[in-house]
Amino acid sequence: MLIDPKNLAGTSVNTFTDNFNSFSMWNGTTGTWETSYPWAPASGGTNPPNKELEWYINPAYAPTNSVNPFSVSNGVLTITANPASPAIQAITGLPYTSGIITSYHSFAQTYGYFEMRAQLPTGQGIWPAFWLLPTDQSWPPEIDIMEMLGSEPTTLQMFIHYDGNLTAGGVVNAAGMTTGFHTYGLDWEKDYITWFFDGTAVARQSTPSGMDKPMYILADLAVGGSWPGSPNYTTPFPSHFQIDYIKAYAALPGVPVIQALFDLPHTPTTTHLIVGNSGNNVLTSSQPNTYFDSWGGNDTMTGLGNDVFEVYSSKCVVKEALYSLGIDTVLSGAKSFVLPANVENITLIGNGGNPANGSQSATGNSLDNLMISNSTSYGNTMNGMAGNDEINAGKGADMLTGGAGIDDFVFKALPTKSGHITDFTVGTDVIDLRGIFKTAGYVGTDPITDHHLILTANSSGGTDVYYDASGNPAGTKVQITTVDHALPSVLHLQSDIWYV
């Protein structure tokens, strides 16, 4: 069961709400929010493993209560970070003060939907977060619903930590996080974890083993640390993390799976380059964010995360460490290529780098794979295998197979030749035609009734999917794809097929 954040009343029951009309601080017996980690002393605390530079103030601790990072106005809780005065630094030993809230003593839940509406701060070294930790104080697991580095104010980071220190999740562009209020949501279920931004699914992962215990809510404004780096002269202080509300929901029993579109993350821009030659090279990077260009040999390439591997032979070996972070991409100019373990994405660039030079094939792995065809006159074959895959068709007659999991078949433009979706699972998988309808400027509410989208049963028990720009039953229609083994009667707009 997946909870639908756009239909919470129909898919869930509310289990926790704080609209911050006041700030209810845990006093040892009652109250909602504790203002330190549960393992921290009464004086407050920080997160030493992250090498953070802030001290989370406990307003009830007299030696530092001249600083209160929490304030409420018009139903909004503001957590404020500031440089610490010499007197406060003498007590805390850290150069900044800030705040954290946790529901450790008041609320925890296994599975369900968690949502915060907030406006985030900006600035080098600033690190707001909304996340979950287990009540038994084990680690991992950890679920990061929202993290944002103030130096990257349009990049939304979402992760899970599990099985020692494996990390998975998504990184997406999300404009306006520091200039207005937005909702950050997560549906954590037994089978899948789905992240939402403003009610739209933006990433999805299979729920790993062991992520099945009660977790409590945290929201904090960190300053500095190994990941964001230290503040500098450009960092605006005071820094404000403004929270309108935090809510949680549990799934209603017996409600069917809610299908939702999702966008899997791309590899960030690389900053380092390693180029091979025509021989069989061993290329190893000493830093992440590396672009490997095999240049045509049967190379062995080893990266450290957020890497791109350009290959022209199926015999190339691509390696990523088990605990490497980020998103890795293979750019395949080979006739066929199989994604290795720990590599998420593959883009076909044509045989020898020329999409007009024959068909290609790509095979995914157990991760959530972003697969991009780029076919022109020739059709490519793409198989996502396990995981929740986003498979982007090209303009050729592509054969698309999702495999296990929830799969999103994306058609951004009309093809010159139509292919097939071979294993569409009604009620689970989705077909994304938004790019086609956006390009066409469609403003209606029912493209089937308007005769712009035509679903026709074929003799093989499947559905031929057409687009007609004219909207005239006598007009010229262009076939987009064939959905094998699924008749038009079971395919529904805005659940199986999306146009807007």
Side-chain angles (χ1 to χ4, degrees):
M1 153 74 205
L2 299 177
I3 294 174
D4 183 1
K6 295 182 178 179
N7 182 24
L8 290 169
T11 59
S12 66
V13 58
N14 181 236
T15 53
F16 176 87
T17 294
D18 195 334
N19 290 314
F20 295 111
N21 296 313
S22 61
F23 184 51
S24 175
M25 193 169 73
W26 175 256
N27 61 13
T29 305
T30 60
T32 303
W33 300 107
E34 187 172 15
T35 56
S36 61
Y37 290 111
W39 57 84
S43 57
T46 186
N47 195 333
N50 290 340
K51 299 181 180 179
E52 296 170 18
L53 301 177
E54 85 292 325
W55 185 264
Y56 291 131
I57 293 289
N58 176 8
Y61 183 67
T64 58
N65 68 5
S66 60
V67 175
N68 187 348
F70 307 103
S71 60
V72 170
S73 178
N74 297 319
V76 173
L77 170 69
T78 298
I79 301 176
T80 299
N82 257 320
S85 69
I88 295 296
Q89 283 194 56
I91 299 170
T92 66
L94 290 170
Y96 298 93
T97 61
S98 190
I100 184 173
I101 57 173
T102 90
S103 67
Y104 177 77
H105 287 289
S106 62
F107 175 79
Q109 183 169 291
T110 305
Y111 306 130
Y113 180 72
F114 303 80
E115 184 176 275
M116 173 184 71
R117 183 174 185 267
Q119 179 171 326
L120 310 184
T122 187
Q124 167 60 37
I126 300 300
W127 179 11
F130 174 45
W131 47 310
L132 306 175
L133 283 177
T135 55
D136 64 8
Q137 298 192 37
S138 60
W139 192 93
E142 172 184 327
I143 301 178
D144 300 321
I145 304 172
M146 177 283 297
E147 293 184 282
M148 193 274 287
L149 303 183
S151 57
E152 302 175 12
T154 61
T155 301
L156 172 59
Q157 319 252 9
M158 305 155 289
F159 298 106
I160 52 176
H161 300 264
Y162 64 101
D163 191 20
N165 192 22
L166 287 175
T167 302
V171 180
V172 300
N173 183 71
M177 293 189 291
T178 63
T179 57
F181 283 84
H182 297 271
T183 58
Y184 304 87
L186 175 126
D187 182 26
W188 165 34
E189 301 298 341
K190 183 177 181 180
D191 299 320
Y192 298 104
I193 294 174
T194 308
W195 287 265
F196 295 85
F197 178 66
D198 285 340
T200 298
V202 292
R204 185 170 292 165
Q205 294 281 349
S206 298
T207 304
S209 175
M211 199 163 281
D212 56 0
K213 58 181 70 174
M215 292 195 179
Y216 62 96
I217 299 169
L218 305 92
D220 68 82
L221 178 54
V223 181
S226 302
W227 188 25
S230 300
N232 60 25
Y233 71 94
T234 69
T235 306
F237 285 107
S239 181
H240 299 301
F241 181 9
Q242 298 175 278
I243 305 173
D244 181 29
Y245 64 73
I246 293 176
K247 299 180 181 182
Y249 300 81
L252 289 175
V255 178
V257 168
I258 302 300
Q259 294 155 272
L261 297 171
F262 55 93
D263 297 311
L264 293 179
H266 295 254
T267 301
T269 302
T270 54
T271 54
H272 310 286
L273 175 65
I274 298 178
V275 181
N277 54 36
S278 58
N280 300 328
N281 303 289
V282 176
L283 309 176
T284 303
S285 180
S286 60
Q287 49 205 335
N289 300 94
T290 297
Y291 192 108
F292 294 83
D293 186 348
S294 70
W295 210 74
N298 297 327
D299 297 336
T300 298
M301 295 164 281
T302 303
L304 293 174
N306 281 333
D307 301 310
V308 174
F309 303 88
E310 185 176 335
V311 303
Y312 292 93
S313 169
S314 60
K315 295 181 179 180
C316 283
V317 177
V318 172
K319 297 181 179 180
E320 279 289 341
L322 182 64
Y323 297 106
S324 66
L325 301 181
I327 302 297
D328 306 298
T329 296
V330 169
L331 302 180
S332 175
K335 179 71 175 176
S336 65
F337 199 84
V338 178
L339 275 180
N342 309 317
V343 177
E344 293 82 3
N345 300 344
I346 185 167
T347 296
L348 299 182
I349 60 175
N351 278 314
N354 182 359
N357 195 23
S359 61
Q360 295 179 270
S361 71
T363 303
N365 54 30
S366 61
L367 301 176
D368 295 349
N369 302 137
L370 171 61
M371 309 180 75
I372 300 175
S373 170
N374 285 323
S375 61
T376 55
S377 55
Y378 292 91
N380 292 330
T381 299
M382 310 189 79
N383 188 338
M385 303 299 286
N388 307 313
D389 304 310
E390 179 188 339
I391 304 178
N392 288 254
K395 291 193 172 184
D398 291 338
M399 302 294 290
L400 310 179
T401 301
I406 300 173
D407 299 308
D408 185 357
F409 299 95
V410 181
F411 296 82
K412 294 185 177 180
L414 289 172
T416 55
K417 296 180 181 179
S418 68
H420 289 252
I421 298 173
T422 68
D423 67 338
F424 187 82
T425 302
V426 174
T428 300
D429 297 334
V430 293
I431 300 172
D432 183 356
L433 306 180
R434 292 178 299 170
I436 293 173
F437 280 89
K438 182 178 180 179
T439 299
Y442 180 73
V443 294
T445 58
D446 189 340
I448 293 179
T449 300
D450 295 342
H451 203 77
H452 289 292
L453 180 64
I454 301 101
L455 307 180
T456 303
N458 60 38
S459 59
S460 301
T463 297
D464 297 329
V465 181
Y466 297 89
Y467 174 78
D468 186 345
S470 72
N472 186 334
T476 301
K477 57 187 181 182
V478 177
Q479 187 167 356
I480 301 170
T481 191
T482 292
V483 182
D484 294 341
H485 316 301
L487 291 170
S489 59
V490 299
L491 298 174
H492 302 97
L493 287 177
Q494 301 307 97
S495 56
D496 299 295
I497 300 176
W498 294 71
Y499 70 94
V500 67

